[in-house]
């Protein structure tokens, strides 16, 4: 890619520069969302919603409302990047300043590093199941007590690093390789999910399968707060990928193609996947004698070796898919944005990948208190950053961004503000993130925790608009 003359080298490289060719169509965006939804985490999240004590139609209604909200916000955040051809950290320069954009970039990058490690660890669990199925003599090496290092067994380390290398190889080949991977990974998971559901339903008997995974405890108006919580959970689950969706929508050949891909990838795909999930989970009770919400454990209990291998590799592929699209591409752009001269897109991704080893994600994942405070506190910043981005593009700038000035360090540039930082955006983040963080860590506010993303978006949006109106900037 040829970088336009005049762009400051401190703000650009070939990966961060505006795209000259945008080639992704509706199917590519649809496949992106399939990779994002079809994961062990997505499976457990969807299944948990059917365990809230609601009747099935109430759960489906909550899922639909929640995913339609996600679709709306994804369309909003997609447009500025698709129109300008720039990734998330670059479009943030319009609101935070050409230097200040590193603040939202680093925050998003740190969240991605934590989740990248956790998702790789979850995928490695499926890899271990396959290894032990074929080589049961490896059992002693799966014991942390006898062959463990910093909380993970020898076999666990081998499985984790194998998945780590596979993901790095896919990523290293670039965005075109990632596009090809997610184009087939999402549909492949669907094929196996349908086969798994059909197998379990056949063994259980269709009369033993339902769409409720728990006793119905809420009726009438009592169900409304529970449904609202379910809606909030759906939106919160997608909050990370939603924030940096511009990293992918920038490749869309048109905004219409991106919107169409969002329709198929979000409401249609998510509802279909959720129904498959609840049918499969429901069938585990009569087949295995207890309700199993982890799909990896479900396939490990099947008495057919080939089925176990196929299922394990499928969920491994699914987890690799979400990890690359949600937790590899994002920090690649984010960390590259910090020092474009020295950190390429590939180098940024590898920084995230290496950091994910040193945080020992298995210890993070296995300690609910640590994961709660670490990820919820970081997550408290996602809503405000989203609110500020949307407010800046649609309200302050009225959808007008001067792309060349996003790459200019000139004091006369529109996005220079004060020494490269927009104080209005930075000041907006502080109170807007404080409330969601308090909701996550203060027990008395725990009832608002599920709604912290919405609170952050609203506060970030309103505070930023108010401060920008007091200190108007050129658009």
């Amino acid at each position: 890619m040829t970088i336009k003359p005049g762009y400051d080298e401190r703000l650009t490289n070939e990966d961060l520069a505006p795209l000259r060719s945008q080639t992704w169509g509706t199917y590519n965006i649809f496949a992106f969302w399939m990779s994002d939804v079809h994961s062990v985490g997505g499976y457990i999240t969807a299944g948990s919603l059917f365990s809230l004590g609601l009747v099935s139609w109430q759960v489906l209604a909550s899922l639909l409302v929640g995913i339609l909200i996600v679709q709306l916000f994804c369309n909003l955040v997609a447009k500025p990047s698709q129109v300008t051809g720039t990734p998330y950290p670059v479009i943030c320069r319009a609101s935070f300043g050409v230097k200040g954009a590193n603040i939202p970039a680093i925050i998003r990058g740190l969240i991605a590093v934590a989740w990248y490690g956790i998702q790789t660890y979850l995928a490695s669990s499926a890899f271990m199941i396959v290894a032990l199925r074929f080589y049961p003599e490896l059992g002693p090496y799966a014991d942390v007590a006898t062959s463990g290092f910093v909380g993970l067994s020898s076999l666990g380390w081998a499985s984790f690093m194998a998945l780590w290398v596979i993901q790095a190889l896919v990523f290293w080949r670039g965005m075109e390789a990632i596009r090809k991977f997610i184009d087939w990974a999402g549909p492949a998971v669907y094929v196996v999910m349908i086969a798994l559901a059909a197998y379990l339903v056949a063994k259980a008997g269709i009369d033993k399968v339902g769409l409720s995974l728990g006793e119905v405890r809420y009726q009438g108006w009592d169900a409304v707060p529970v449904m609202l919580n379910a809606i909030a959970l759906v939106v919160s689950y997608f909050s990370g990928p939603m924030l940096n969706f511009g990293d992918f929508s920038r490749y869309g050949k048109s905004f219409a193609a991106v919107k169409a891909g969002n329709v198929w990838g979000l409401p249609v795909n998510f509802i279909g996947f959720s129904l498959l999930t609840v049918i499969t989970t429901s069938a585990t009770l009569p087949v295995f004698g207890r309700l199993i919400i982890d799909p990896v454990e479900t396939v490990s209990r099947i008495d057919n070796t080939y089925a176990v291998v196929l299922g394990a590799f499928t969920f491994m592929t699914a987890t690799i898919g979400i990890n690359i699209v949600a937790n590899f591409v994002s920090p690649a752009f984010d960390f590259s944005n910090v020092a474009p001269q020295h950190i390429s897109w590939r180098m940024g991704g590898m920084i995230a990948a290496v950091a994910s080893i040193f945080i020992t994600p298995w210890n993070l994942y296995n300690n609910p208190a640590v994961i709660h405070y670490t990820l919820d506190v970081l997550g408290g910043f996602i809503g405000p950053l989203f609110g500020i981005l949307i407010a800046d593009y649609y309200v302050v700038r009225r959808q007008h961004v001067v792309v060349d000035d996003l790459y200019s360090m000139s004091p006369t540039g529109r996005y220079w503000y004060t020494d490269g930082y927009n104080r209005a955006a930075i000041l907006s983040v502080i109170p807007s993130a404080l409330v969601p963080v308090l909701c996550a860590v203060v027990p008395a506010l725990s009832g608002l925790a599920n709604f912290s993303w919405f609170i952050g978006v609203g506060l970030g949006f309103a505070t930023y608009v108010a401060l920008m109106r007091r200190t108007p900037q050129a658009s």
Side-chain angles (χ1 to χ4, degrees), residues 128 140-144 146-149 152-160:
M128 279 183 65
Y141 300 101
D143 187 352
V144 180
T146 58
S147 67
F149 175 66
L152 191 63
S153 68
S154 300
L155 185 60
W157 269 105
S159 301
F160 179 84

Side-chain angles (χ1 to χ4, degrees), residues 130-375:
V130 174
L132 290 170
R133 195 66 178 248
F134 281 98
Y135 304 100
E137 63 271 19
L138 293 175
Y141 300 101
D143 187 352
V144 180
T146 58
S147 67
F149 175 66
V150 294
L152 191 63
S153 68
S154 300
L155 185 60
W157 269 105
S159 301
F160 179 84
M161 292 311 300
L163 266 295
W164 190 93
V165 170
I166 290 170
Q167 292 175 119
L169 288 174
V170 174
F171 170 80
W172 195 259
R173 297 188 64 186
M175 281 300 294
E176 184 60 19
I178 292 173
R179 181 192 64 78
K180 290 177 180 176
F181 179 84
I182 63 178
D183 276 357
W184 70 262
V189 174
Y190 253 134
V191 171
V192 175
M193 277 284 292
I194 292 169
L196 178 63
Y199 170 79
L200 292 175
V201 169
K203 289 204 72 171
I206 196 165
D207 57 311
K208 300 283 182 64
V209 178
L211 294 184
S212 292
L213 301 182
E215 180 185 353
V216 176
R217 301 189 303 275
Y218 304 100
Q219 301 283 353
W221 289 107
D222 291 341
V224 173
V226 185
M227 292 177 69
L228 290 175
N229 270 282
I231 292 168
L233 282 169
V234 171
V235 179
S236 295
Y237 178 77
F238 288 97
S239 61
M242 196 156 46
L243 178 63
N244 68 288
F245 182 50
D247 290 339
F248 297 90
S249 68
R250 72 185 293 230
Y251 294 95
K253 61 178 64 175
S254 68
F255 184 50
V258 173
K259 288 195 295 182
N262 285 346
V263 171
W264 286 102
L266 289 167
V268 176
N269 174 53
F270 186 64
I271 295 297
F273 181 77
S274 298
L275 286 172
L276 274 175
T277 296
V278 70
I279 290 169
T280 304
T281 306
S282 178
T284 61
L285 182 59
V287 173
F288 302 117
R290 69 184 184 88
L291 205 63
I292 303 173
I293 61 171
D294 185 340
V296 175
E297 183 181 351
T298 298
V299 298
S300 71
R301 288 173 169 265
I302 297 174
D303 55 9
N304 183 302
T305 299
Y306 295 106
V308 172
V309 172
L310 179 62
F313 272 114
T314 298
F315 286 110
M316 216 157 49
T317 300
T319 306
I320 290 172
I322 187 176
N323 226 8
I324 289 175
V325 301
N327 303 318
F328 217 145
V329 172
S330 172
F333 283 120
D334 294 335
F335 294 149
S336 178
N337 189 74
V338 175
Q341 296 166 276
H342 308 291
I343 304 176
S344 66
W345 180 76
R346 286 182 173 85
M347 182 61 68
M350 294 312 297
I351 289 172
V354 172
S356 73
I357 301 174
F358 286 96
I359 65 170
T360 61
W362 45 90
N363 292 323
L364 192 67
Y365 185 74
N366 291 327
N367 189 324
V370 173
I371 195 170
H372 167 68
Y373 287 112
T374 303
L375 296 178

